[in-house]
Amino acid sequence: MNRKFKIIAAIGVVTLLGWQLPLGDKPFDLKIPKGFAAPHIPAENQLTEARVELGKKLFYDPILSRDTTISCASCHFPHLAFTDGKKNSIGIRGQKVKRNSPTLTNVIYNDKFLLDGVNPSLEKQIDVPIQEHNEFDFHVLLIVDRLNKIPKYVELSQRAYGSEITPKVIQNAIASFERTLISGNSRFDQFYYQGDSTALNNEERLGLSLFMDRLYCTECHEGFNFTNYEVHNTGLYEVYPDSGRYRLTNNPKEIGVFKVPTLRNIALTGPYMHDGSFTSLEEIIDHYSNGGQGHFNQSPIIQKFSITSTEKKALVAFLKTLTDSSFITNQAFQ
């Protein structure tokens, strides 16, 4: 059984943390899976029931886009672990977004956002799709005007943050909902953290052994969330059409540098890489076993390795055990 983690124990503690619950709101009871660390949540945006409810409504509401045709959920489907299954996501007016849609699985543990990790805050991340011409193509102040004309939104905002809708309310509420998207009940979890020795078969256990011990997978995909939260150039290309972090930092050492993603629910989140260039897990294994394309910024971690067809099959079988069916069907997220 997952243990329950109370974010706030009492109103007195809330006051000491420097923020107070608006009248009628309650702390949100966040469930942290066995083996997971306690997440950091900003003191000024602690989780409450009303904040999560407001964030969920905004996440699914196309009112955030200029022509009211798409929402956050248009690129983040629960049944695909909050990705969209496309090589490149589609914004308003059918416009193609330049990058693949990342999973929101366990985003509460991330310390950097967007595929190249240039955004340091989950709260601020929502500004990007709102402003991007190929995504929502809108302005947050115009969204505020729309929402403040809807009594239900105003009422919920008052309960959640003690004010009418503001840009900060929109940022904080959506971030609050996204922080509840925790996945930690895959068959791997049942085997590794919950002690069910029958949860993995022999082939999957071989894949687990390869992943943890013989190959260098855990150099980047470590810990309970299968990521080191760092950024690397993985040698995907010899010449990168998308320059990665370099587009904002102008640092030549960051050409082709992107964030290390979680591998949780990886079987559901293809196509893979920042541009959706791989369609299968087998292709990814081939890329790394070949040692990458040799870009001048390629991480020294990426080295050739040998793997038999039997081992590759076992490794893929193990990666599929990271699928959490209870996460993708959780009605609280839908």
Side-chain angles (χ1 to χ4, degrees):
M1 294 291 292
N2 292 343
R3 60 188 175 87
K4 292 186 177 181
F5 179 77
K6 288 283 189 181
I7 298 301
I8 298 299
I11 295 299
V13 177
V14 171
T15 304
L16 288 173
L17 285 173
W19 66 283
Q20 296 184 1
L21 287 173
L23 187 65
D25 202 0
K26 297 179 181 179
F28 185 85
D29 187 13
L30 190 66
K31 296 176 176 64
I32 304 300
K34 186 175 182 179
F36 280 38
H40 169 75
I41 301 173
E44 67 275 11
N45 193 29
Q46 292 289 310
L47 296 184
T48 72
E49 291 181 358
R51 292 174 181 182
V52 172
E53 181 183 352
L54 175 59
K56 180 179 176 180
K57 287 184 181 299
L58 290 170
F59 185 89
Y60 284 98
D61 196 336
I63 200 171
L64 300 186
S65 61
R66 180 179 293 275
D67 60 4
T68 65
T69 58
I70 67 169
S71 66
C72 303
S74 299
C75 295
H76 300 283
F77 302 136
H79 72 283
L80 294 177
F82 292 91
T83 60
D84 63 5
K86 298 180 175 67
K87 182 176 182 179
N88 300 98
S89 297
I90 303 297
I92 68 169
R93 300 183 293 270
Q95 296 179 121
K96 186 177 290 187
V97 179
K98 293 181 180 179
R99 292 179 176 175
N100 192 245
S101 181
T103 180
L104 299 182
T105 300
N106 295 339
V107 72
I108 190 172
Y109 290 102
N110 290 3
D111 60 358
K112 54 183 73 71
F113 302 88
L114 304 181
L115 287 171
D116 47 19
V118 296
N119 194 321
S121 164
L122 187 56
E123 278 76 10
K124 290 292 187 182
Q125 186 277 330
I126 186 59
D127 293 343
V128 177
I130 287 175
Q131 297 172 3
E132 282 289 331
H133 296 308
N134 289 349
E135 297 187 56
F136 292 177
D137 189 30
F138 211 21
H139 194 288
V140 69
L141 292 180
L142 297 177
I143 297 173
V144 167
D145 288 342
R146 282 183 179 178
L147 294 174
N148 277 321
K149 294 175 182 176
I150 302 174
K152 189 66 177 177
Y153 268 123
V154 175
E155 176 189 346
L156 190 51
S157 181
Q158 288 288 352
R159 273 207 295 129
Y161 292 101
S163 77
E164 64 179 9
I165 299 286
T166 66
K168 192 170 184 63
V169 165
I170 293 171
Q171 294 171 342
N172 287 356
I174 293 175
S176 292
F177 169 65
E178 290 176 340
R179 286 192 172 105
T180 69
L181 305 178
I182 295 179
S183 174
N185 191 36
S186 65
R187 287 197 294 117
F188 163 79
D189 294 298
Q190 294 162 20
F191 175 82
Y192 196 82
Y193 290 120
Q194 300 172 27
D196 182 356
S197 61
T198 67
L200 300 188
N201 62 34
N202 289 337
E203 181 181 51
E204 293 160 347
R205 292 191 193 197
L206 172 60
L208 171 60
S209 177
L210 289 166
F211 184 93
M212 294 289 191
D213 300 325
R214 190 167 80 75
L215 306 179
Y216 58 73
C217 308
T218 55
E219 290 289 325
C220 295
H221 299 285
E222 64 178 12
F224 66 89
N225 205 25
F226 290 87
T227 176
N228 59 8
Y229 306 100
E230 295 179 4
V231 292
H232 294 289
N233 178 315
T234 60
L236 183 60
Y237 297 109
E238 189 173 352
V239 177
Y240 275 77
D242 182 334
S243 61
R245 286 173 68 87
Y246 175 79
R247 70 188 176 96
L248 290 181
T249 67
N250 289 317
N251 181 352
K253 294 182 179 180
E254 295 196 313
I255 294 174
V257 168
F258 292 90
K259 192 172 62 171
V260 175
T262 178
L263 296 185
R264 287 188 168 275
N265 298 298
I266 190 68
L268 304 175
T269 59
Y272 305 103
M273 316 307 280
H274 68 273
D275 57 356
S277 53
F278 292 151
T279 59
S280 71
L281 297 175
E282 288 82 359
E283 286 180 281
I284 297 175
I285 295 170
D286 289 342
H287 167 72
Y288 289 117
S289 66
N290 289 332
Q293 296 299 313
H295 187 270
F296 64 85
N297 278 339
Q298 181 174 310
S299 169
I301 294 172
I302 310 302
Q303 301 288 336
K304 287 185 178 182
F305 60 81
S306 60
I307 186 169
T308 68
S309 58
T310 298
E311 289 172 332
K312 185 193 296 187
K313 185 181 176 186
L315 183 56
V316 170
F318 161 68
L319 292 171
K320 290 180 178 179
T321 71
L322 300 179
T323 300
D324 181 353
S325 59
S326 64
F327 174 70
I328 63 175
T329 60
N330 190 332
Q331 290 301 305
F333 303 154
Q334 300 184 33

